[in-house]
C-alpha cells in the first residue's frame, strides 16, 4: 500500500528508511503483553511473519495481532492446541 499523494517529503523519506531501520530495533519482551508475536522484532530470527510468511499464523492458530504473552508463559512455549 502506498502513501497518499499529499504526504510531506519528510514523511516519505522516513517511510523509505523503514526497511533499513526496522532490523535495528529490538524489543524487550517483559511479560509479552505489548509485543506482537508475528510482527515485532523480538526473536533472533527477526519478525516471524517475514521469516515464515503470514500463513504461519493460521497454521499455529494465533492471529496476526497475537501478542507474545499468548504463546510464551513462564518461559515456556505453548503449543497450538493450548
Amino acid at each position: 500500500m502506498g502513501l497518499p499523494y499529499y504526504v510531506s517529503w519528510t514523511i516519505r523519506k522516513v517511510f523509505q528508511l523503514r526497511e533499513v531501520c526496522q532490523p535495528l530495533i529490538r524489543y524487550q519482551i517483559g511479560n509479552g503483553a505489548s509485543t506482537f508475536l508475528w510482527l515485532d522484532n523480538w526473536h533472533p530470527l527477526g519478525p516471524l511473519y517475514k521469516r515464515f510468511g503470514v500463513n504461519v499464523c493460521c497454521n499455529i492458530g494465533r492471529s496476526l495481532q497475537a501478542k507474545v504473552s499468548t504463546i510464551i508463559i513462564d518461559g515456556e512455549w505453548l503449543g497450538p492446541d493450548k
Side-chain angles (χ1 to χ4, degrees), residues 37-38 54-67 70-72 78-82:
L37 176 63
W38 308 112
V54 176
N55 288 336
V56 73
C57 303
C58 297
N59 296 340
I60 299 295
R62 304 281 188 237
S63 79
L64 188 60
Q65 300 300 315
K67 302 291 183 159
T70 66
I71 199 164
I72 300 177
L78 297 176
D81 58 336
K82 296 182 180 179

Side-chain angles (χ1 to χ4, degrees), residues 40-59:
D40 288 338
N41 190 22
W42 65 274
H43 193 275
L45 296 175
L48 297 176
Y49 85 96
K50 285 186 176 181
R51 179 70 178 229
F52 300 109
V54 176
N55 288 336
V56 73
C57 303
C58 297
N59 296 340

Side-chain angles (χ1 to χ4, degrees), residues 3 5-8 11 16 18 20 29 34 38 41 44 49-51 55 58 60 66 70 72 80:
L3 293 172
Y5 71 92
Y6 53 83
V7 172
S8 73
I11 296 298
Q16 287 174 354
R18 179 176 43 188
V20 173
I29 297 192
S34 62
W38 308 112
N41 190 22
Y49 85 96
K50 285 186 176 181
R51 179 70 178 229
N55 288 336
C58 297
I60 299 295
T70 66
I72 300 177

